[in-house]
Amino acid sequence: MIPDALQQLLDGVDGQETAHWQGRDLVMFNAPWGELIVSLQGAQVLHFRPPEDRGWLWVTPTPQPMPGAIRGGVPLCWPWFADERYADETPDRSGTFHGLARHAPWQLEAADEHADGIELHLSPTQRLHSQLTVRAVIQANAQRLAVELISENVGDTPVKVSGALHSYLAVDDAHQCRLEGLAGARYLDKLRDFAEGEQQGTLAIRGPVDRIYHSNEAVMLHDGPRTLRVGKQSSDSTVVWHPDQQPPADTSLEAAKRFVCVEAANTRLDPVWLVPGAQHLLGTTLSRT
Ligand SMILES: O=P(O)(O)OC[C@H]1O[C@H](O)[C@H](O)[C@@H](O)[C@@H]1O
């Protein structure tokens, strides 16, 4: 579910086009395999809709201005998740929440479109870290959307990294949703000062949720008759976030009912130590069941 103005821009696209929205440069695709919008601020997928379905992702109708990040789609949190500033190079570790990548300008390096779908390769226009490089690969076809974030240590000392593919999944009503796949997983509850818990059965969203689950399993998001599968790669943390009655300033109460975040992440539970020359691929794959 995306803002009307964004949908109108997309409706005028046949094939691939660039556009400008809310101060951001966008790459838009309207093709037989589906609709896809990527913002070059943060290499952020804002929208994906396969044929004969509705959009899988949610974007706030009232985004904050640049250089703030757009709330919605799949923001790339890198090289740290939340306030876990392991790779923060500022002297007092005062770097921005969720890292540098989602605010930074990225460039499209390659777009390989074929009859069944597309593969996009993006990288930041400038290095974001003295020792780390990062790139993103986005694949879309009529069955799935995959986002990969690939970090490499090009320096000469080990670097500790965390991050997240912070997917905002569009739902009819968050309070009607059930998340399956987390039963038995231990979690840290960020709303209770990181108290530990263990998930019993399915997770229903009945109020605010902000939890880091120690799990590498796929999550099935049941939203009425619809189910979206959130798969992941090289991620032992799954973050589930829904702000309920206290949405952030860039989102109305009404709009906040329409998303649930299920994030493939590396967090304090499973930070990645990258030794010189090593690469790490954090991935998520969304698909219908
Ligand atoms: O408002 P943002 O910086 O985009 O963060 C939004 C949310 O992201 C994650 O899911 C965190 O676990 C939450 O604690 C945070 O509130």
mmCIF file with all atom_site columns, all heavy atoms in Angstrom, residues 53-67:
data_model
loop_
_atom_site.group_PDB
_atom_site.id
_atom_site.type_symbol
_atom_site.label_atom_id
_atom_site.label_alt_id
_atom_site.label_comp_id
_atom_site.label_asym_id
_atom_site.label_entity_id
_atom_site.label_seq_id
_atom_site.pdbx_PDB_ins_code
_atom_site.Cartn_x
_atom_site.Cartn_y
_atom_site.Cartn_z
_atom_site.occupancy
_atom_site.B_iso_or_equiv
_atom_site.pdbx_formal_charge
_atom_site.auth_seq_id
_atom_site.auth_comp_id
_atom_site.auth_asym_id
_atom_site.auth_atom_id
_atom_site.pdbx_PDB_model_num
ATOM 1   N N   . ASP A 1 53 ? -2.301 -9.328  -7.663 1.00 0.00 ? 53 ASP A N   1
ATOM 2   C CA  . ASP A 1 53 ? -2.223 -9.264  -6.203 1.00 0.00 ? 53 ASP A CA  1
ATOM 3   C C   . ASP A 1 53 ? -2.232 -7.786  -5.837 1.00 0.00 ? 53 ASP A C   1
ATOM 4   O O   . ASP A 1 53 ? -2.130 -6.914  -6.705 1.00 0.00 ? 53 ASP A O   1
ATOM 5   C CB  . ASP A 1 53 ? -0.931 -9.941  -5.718 1.00 0.00 ? 53 ASP A CB  1
ATOM 6   C CG  . ASP A 1 53 ? -1.016 -10.357 -4.248 1.00 0.00 ? 53 ASP A CG  1
ATOM 7   O OD1 . ASP A 1 53 ? -2.011 -9.987  -3.574 1.00 0.00 ? 53 ASP A OD1 1
ATOM 8   O OD2 . ASP A 1 53 ? -0.098 -11.038 -3.776 1.00 0.00 ? 53 ASP A OD2 1
ATOM 9   N N   . ARG A 1 54 ? -2.313 -7.511  -4.536 1.00 0.00 ? 54 ARG A N   1
ATOM 10  C CA  . ARG A 1 54 ? -2.137 -6.126  -4.131 1.00 0.00 ? 54 ARG A CA  1
ATOM 11  C C   . ARG A 1 54 ? -0.681 -5.939  -3.714 1.00 0.00 ? 54 ARG A C   1
ATOM 12  O O   . ARG A 1 54 ? 0.088  -6.912  -3.655 1.00 0.00 ? 54 ARG A O   1
ATOM 13  C CB  . ARG A 1 54 ? -3.089 -5.807  -2.983 1.00 0.00 ? 54 ARG A CB  1
ATOM 14  C CG  . ARG A 1 54 ? -2.764 -6.583  -1.739 1.00 0.00 ? 54 ARG A CG  1
ATOM 15  C CD  . ARG A 1 54 ? -3.692 -6.232  -0.607 1.00 0.00 ? 54 ARG A CD  1
ATOM 16  N NE  . ARG A 1 54 ? -3.085 -6.660  0.634  1.00 0.00 ? 54 ARG A NE  1
ATOM 17  C CZ  . ARG A 1 54 ? -3.739 -6.738  1.785  1.00 0.00 ? 54 ARG A CZ  1
ATOM 18  N NH1 . ARG A 1 54 ? -5.022 -6.429  1.838  1.00 0.00 ? 54 ARG A NH1 1
ATOM 19  N NH2 . ARG A 1 54 ? -3.117 -7.116  2.875  1.00 0.00 ? 54 ARG A NH2 1
ATOM 20  N N   . GLY A 1 55 ? -0.293 -4.700  -3.425 1.00 0.00 ? 55 GLY A N   1
ATOM 21  C CA  . GLY A 1 55 ? 1.090  -4.443  -3.053 1.00 0.00 ? 55 GLY A CA  1
ATOM 22  C C   . GLY A 1 55 ? 1.452  -5.136  -1.749 1.00 0.00 ? 55 GLY A C   1
ATOM 23  O O   . GLY A 1 55 ? 0.619  -5.246  -0.845 1.00 0.00 ? 55 GLY A O   1
ATOM 24  N N   . TRP A 1 56 ? 2.669  -5.619  -1.664 1.00 0.00 ? 56 TRP A N   1
ATOM 25  C CA  . TRP A 1 56 ? 3.122  -6.344  -0.474 1.00 0.00 ? 56 TRP A CA  1
ATOM 26  C C   . TRP A 1 56 ? 3.696  -5.412  0.595  1.00 0.00 ? 56 TRP A C   1
ATOM 27  O O   . TRP A 1 56 ? 3.850  -5.807  1.737  1.00 0.00 ? 56 TRP A O   1
ATOM 28  C CB  . TRP A 1 56 ? 4.209  -7.359  -0.850 1.00 0.00 ? 56 TRP A CB  1
ATOM 29  C CG  . TRP A 1 56 ? 3.705  -8.513  -1.661 1.00 0.00 ? 56 TRP A CG  1
ATOM 30  C CD1 . TRP A 1 56 ? 2.413  -8.750  -2.065 1.00 0.00 ? 56 TRP A CD1 1
ATOM 31  C CD2 . TRP A 1 56 ? 4.486  -9.600  -2.160 1.00 0.00 ? 56 TRP A CD2 1
ATOM 32  N NE1 . TRP A 1 56 ? 2.354  -9.905  -2.788 1.00 0.00 ? 56 TRP A NE1 1
ATOM 33  C CE2 . TRP A 1 56 ? 3.606  -10.448 -2.864 1.00 0.00 ? 56 TRP A CE2 1
ATOM 34  C CE3 . TRP A 1 56 ? 5.846  -9.923  -2.097 1.00 0.00 ? 56 TRP A CE3 1
ATOM 35  C CZ2 . TRP A 1 56 ? 4.043  -11.614 -3.488 1.00 0.00 ? 56 TRP A CZ2 1
ATOM 36  C CZ3 . TRP A 1 56 ? 6.286  -11.083 -2.716 1.00 0.00 ? 56 TRP A CZ3 1
ATOM 37  C CH2 . TRP A 1 56 ? 5.390  -11.927 -3.406 1.00 0.00 ? 56 TRP A CH2 1
ATOM 38  N N   . LEU A 1 57 ? 4.074  -4.198  0.188  1.00 0.00 ? 57 LEU A N   1
ATOM 39  C CA  . LEU A 1 57 ? 4.775  -3.303  1.112  1.00 0.00 ? 57 LEU A CA  1
ATOM 40  C C   . LEU A 1 57 ? 3.952  -2.047  1.387  1.00 0.00 ? 57 LEU A C   1
ATOM 41  O O   . LEU A 1 57 ? 3.123  -1.631  0.573  1.00 0.00 ? 57 LEU A O   1
ATOM 42  C CB  . LEU A 1 57 ? 6.139  -2.911  0.520  1.00 0.00 ? 57 LEU A CB  1
ATOM 43  C CG  . LEU A 1 57 ? 7.076  -4.082  0.216  1.00 0.00 ? 57 LEU A CG  1
ATOM 44  C CD1 . LEU A 1 57 ? 8.286  -3.615  -0.576 1.00 0.00 ? 57 LEU A CD1 1
ATOM 45  C CD2 . LEU A 1 57 ? 7.518  -4.772  1.508  1.00 0.00 ? 57 LEU A CD2 1
ATOM 46  N N   . TRP A 1 58 ? 4.222  -1.442  2.525  1.00 0.00 ? 58 TRP A N   1
ATOM 47  C CA  . TRP A 1 58 ? 3.518  -0.242  2.971  1.00 0.00 ? 58 TRP A CA  1
ATOM 48  C C   . TRP A 1 58 ? 4.499  0.931   2.996  1.00 0.00 ? 58 TRP A C   1
ATOM 49  O O   . TRP A 1 58 ? 5.675  0.760   3.348  1.00 0.00 ? 58 TRP A O   1
ATOM 50  C CB  . TRP A 1 58 ? 2.975  -0.512  4.377  1.00 0.00 ? 58 TRP A CB  1
ATOM 51  C CG  . TRP A 1 58 ? 2.390  0.660   5.103  1.00 0.00 ? 58 TRP A CG  1
ATOM 52  C CD1 . TRP A 1 58 ? 1.077  1.018   5.160  1.00 0.00 ? 58 TRP A CD1 1
ATOM 53  C CD2 . TRP A 1 58 ? 3.092  1.620   5.912  1.00 0.00 ? 58 TRP A CD2 1
ATOM 54  N NE1 . TRP A 1 58 ? 0.925  2.150   5.955  1.00 0.00 ? 58 TRP A NE1 1
ATOM 55  C CE2 . TRP A 1 58 ? 2.153  2.525   6.423  1.00 0.00 ? 58 TRP A CE2 1
ATOM 56  C CE3 . TRP A 1 58 ? 4.446  1.792   6.249  1.00 0.00 ? 58 TRP A CE3 1
ATOM 57  C CZ2 . TRP A 1 58 ? 2.501  3.600   7.245  1.00 0.00 ? 58 TRP A CZ2 1
ATOM 58  C CZ3 . TRP A 1 58 ? 4.796  2.866   7.068  1.00 0.00 ? 58 TRP A CZ3 1
ATOM 59  C CH2 . TRP A 1 58 ? 3.820  3.746   7.556  1.00 0.00 ? 58 TRP A CH2 1
ATOM 60  N N   . VAL A 1 59 ? 4.015  2.105   2.617  1.00 0.00 ? 59 VAL A N   1
ATOM 61  C CA  . VAL A 1 59 ? 4.818  3.335   2.742  1.00 0.00 ? 59 VAL A CA  1
ATOM 62  C C   . VAL A 1 59 ? 3.945  4.408   3.391  1.00 0.00 ? 59 VAL A C   1
ATOM 63  O O   . VAL A 1 59 ? 2.770  4.563   3.029  1.00 0.00 ? 59 VAL A O   1
ATOM 64  C CB  . VAL A 1 59 ? 5.302  3.839   1.358  1.00 0.00 ? 59 VAL A CB  1
ATOM 65  C CG1 . VAL A 1 59 ? 5.955  5.211   1.478  1.00 0.00 ? 59 VAL A CG1 1
ATOM 66  C CG2 . VAL A 1 59 ? 6.296  2.860   0.742  1.00 0.00 ? 59 VAL A CG2 1
ATOM 67  N N   . THR A 1 60 ? 4.488  5.141   4.347  1.00 0.00 ? 60 THR A N   1
ATOM 68  C CA  . THR A 1 60 ? 3.713  6.190   4.993  1.00 0.00 ? 60 THR A CA  1
ATOM 69  C C   . THR A 1 60 ? 3.262  7.240   3.975  1.00 0.00 ? 60 THR A C   1
ATOM 70  O O   . THR A 1 60 ? 4.041  7.641   3.105  1.00 0.00 ? 60 THR A O   1
ATOM 71  C CB  . THR A 1 60 ? 4.507  6.888   6.130  1.00 0.00 ? 60 THR A CB  1
ATOM 72  O OG1 . THR A 1 60 ? 3.644  7.845   6.746  1.00 0.00 ? 60 THR A OG1 1
ATOM 73  C CG2 . THR A 1 60 ? 5.764  7.576   5.632  1.00 0.00 ? 60 THR A CG2 1
ATOM 74  N N   . PRO A 1 61 ? 2.021  7.707   4.093  1.00 0.00 ? 61 PRO A N   1
ATOM 75  C CA  . PRO A 1 61 ? 1.554  8.759   3.183  1.00 0.00 ? 61 PRO A CA  1
ATOM 76  C C   . PRO A 1 61 ? 2.213  10.103  3.497  1.00 0.00 ? 61 PRO A C   1
ATOM 77  O O   . PRO A 1 61 ? 2.122  11.029  2.701  1.00 0.00 ? 61 PRO A O   1
ATOM 78  C CB  . PRO A 1 61 ? 0.047  8.850   3.472  1.00 0.00 ? 61 PRO A CB  1
ATOM 79  C CG  . PRO A 1 61 ? -0.300 7.661   4.302  1.00 0.00 ? 61 PRO A CG  1
ATOM 80  C CD  . PRO A 1 61 ? 0.963  7.205   4.978  1.00 0.00 ? 61 PRO A CD  1
ATOM 81  N N   . THR A 1 62 ? 2.871  10.225  4.656  1.00 0.00 ? 62 THR A N   1
ATOM 82  C CA  . THR A 1 62 ? 3.439  11.513  5.070  1.00 0.00 ? 62 THR A CA  1
ATOM 83  C C   . THR A 1 62 ? 4.911  11.360  5.443  1.00 0.00 ? 62 THR A C   1
ATOM 84  O O   . THR A 1 62 ? 5.288  11.479  6.620  1.00 0.00 ? 62 THR A O   1
ATOM 85  C CB  . THR A 1 62 ? 2.647  12.059  6.282  1.00 0.00 ? 62 THR A CB  1
ATOM 86  O OG1 . THR A 1 62 ? 2.501  10.982  7.256  1.00 0.00 ? 62 THR A OG1 1
ATOM 87  C CG2 . THR A 1 62 ? 1.277  12.545  5.878  1.00 0.00 ? 62 THR A CG2 1
ATOM 88  N N   . PRO A 1 63 ? 5.768  11.091  4.443  1.00 0.00 ? 63 PRO A N   1
ATOM 89  C CA  . PRO A 1 63 ? 7.184  10.870  4.768  1.00 0.00 ? 63 PRO A CA  1
ATOM 90  C C   . PRO A 1 63 ? 7.878  12.132  5.247  1.00 0.00 ? 63 PRO A C   1
ATOM 91  O O   . PRO A 1 63 ? 7.508  13.244  4.844  1.00 0.00 ? 63 PRO A O   1
ATOM 92  C CB  . PRO A 1 63 ? 7.784  10.389  3.455  1.00 0.00 ? 63 PRO A CB  1
ATOM 93  C CG  . PRO A 1 63 ? 6.823  10.727  2.396  1.00 0.00 ? 63 PRO A CG  1
ATOM 94  C CD  . PRO A 1 63 ? 5.485  10.939  3.020  1.00 0.00 ? 63 PRO A CD  1
ATOM 95  N N   . GLN A 1 64 ? 8.874  11.947  6.098  1.00 0.00 ? 64 GLN A N   1
ATOM 96  C CA  . GLN A 1 64 ? 9.659  13.109  6.533  1.00 0.00 ? 64 GLN A CA  1
ATOM 97  C C   . GLN A 1 64 ? 10.514 13.587  5.366  1.00 0.00 ? 64 GLN A C   1
ATOM 98  O O   . GLN A 1 64 ? 10.858 12.820  4.472  1.00 0.00 ? 64 GLN A O   1
ATOM 99  C CB  . GLN A 1 64 ? 10.508 12.770  7.753  1.00 0.00 ? 64 GLN A CB  1
ATOM 100 C CG  . GLN A 1 64 ? 11.382 11.556  7.584  1.00 0.00 ? 64 GLN A CG  1
ATOM 101 C CD  . GLN A 1 64 ? 12.152 11.228  8.850  1.00 0.00 ? 64 GLN A CD  1
ATOM 102 O OE1 . GLN A 1 64 ? 12.623 12.107  9.551  1.00 0.00 ? 64 GLN A OE1 1
ATOM 103 N NE2 . GLN A 1 64 ? 12.293 9.943   9.142  1.00 0.00 ? 64 GLN A NE2 1
ATOM 104 N N   . PRO A 1 65 ? 10.839 14.900  5.389  1.00 0.00 ? 65 PRO A N   1
ATOM 105 C CA  . PRO A 1 65 ? 11.640 15.421  4.272  1.00 0.00 ? 65 PRO A CA  1
ATOM 106 C C   . PRO A 1 65 ? 13.065 14.871  4.289  1.00 0.00 ? 65 PRO A C   1
ATOM 107 O O   . PRO A 1 65 ? 13.538 14.364  5.310  1.00 0.00 ? 65 PRO A O   1
ATOM 108 C CB  . PRO A 1 65 ? 11.645 16.935  4.525  1.00 0.00 ? 65 PRO A CB  1
ATOM 109 C CG  . PRO A 1 65 ? 11.270 17.123  5.956  1.00 0.00 ? 65 PRO A CG  1
ATOM 110 C CD  . PRO A 1 65 ? 10.496 15.929  6.379  1.00 0.00 ? 65 PRO A CD  1
ATOM 111 N N   . MET A 1 66 ? 13.735 15.004  3.157  1.00 0.00 ? 66 MET A N   1
ATOM 112 C CA  . MET A 1 66 ? 15.160 14.680  3.070  1.00 0.00 ? 66 MET A CA  1
ATOM 113 C C   . MET A 1 66 ? 15.916 15.535  4.078  1.00 0.00 ? 66 MET A C   1
ATOM 114 O O   . MET A 1 66 ? 15.521 16.683  4.297  1.00 0.00 ? 66 MET A O   1
ATOM 115 C CB  . MET A 1 66 ? 15.683 14.986  1.674  1.00 0.00 ? 66 MET A CB  1
ATOM 116 C CG  . MET A 1 66 ? 15.164 14.050  0.626  1.00 0.00 ? 66 MET A CG  1
ATOM 117 S SD  . MET A 1 66 ? 16.155 12.558  0.586  1.00 0.00 ? 66 MET A SD  1
ATOM 118 C CE  . MET A 1 66 ? 17.509 13.085  -0.438 1.00 0.00 ? 66 MET A CE  1
ATOM 119 N N   . PRO A 1 67 ? 16.980 15.053  4.694  1.00 0.00 ? 67 PRO A N   1
ATOM 120 C CA  . PRO A 1 67 ? 17.611 13.756  4.471  1.00 0.00 ? 67 PRO A CA  1
ATOM 121 C C   . PRO A 1 67 ? 17.052 12.644  5.367  1.00 0.00 ? 67 PRO A C   1
ATOM 122 O O   . PRO A 1 67 ? 17.685 11.597  5.499  1.00 0.00 ? 67 PRO A O   1
ATOM 123 C CB  . PRO A 1 67 ? 19.077 14.028  4.801  1.00 0.00 ? 67 PRO A CB  1
ATOM 124 C CG  . PRO A 1 67 ? 19.011 15.042  5.903  1.00 0.00 ? 67 PRO A CG  1
ATOM 125 C CD  . PRO A 1 67 ? 17.799 15.892  5.603  1.00 0.00 ? 67 PRO A CD  1
#
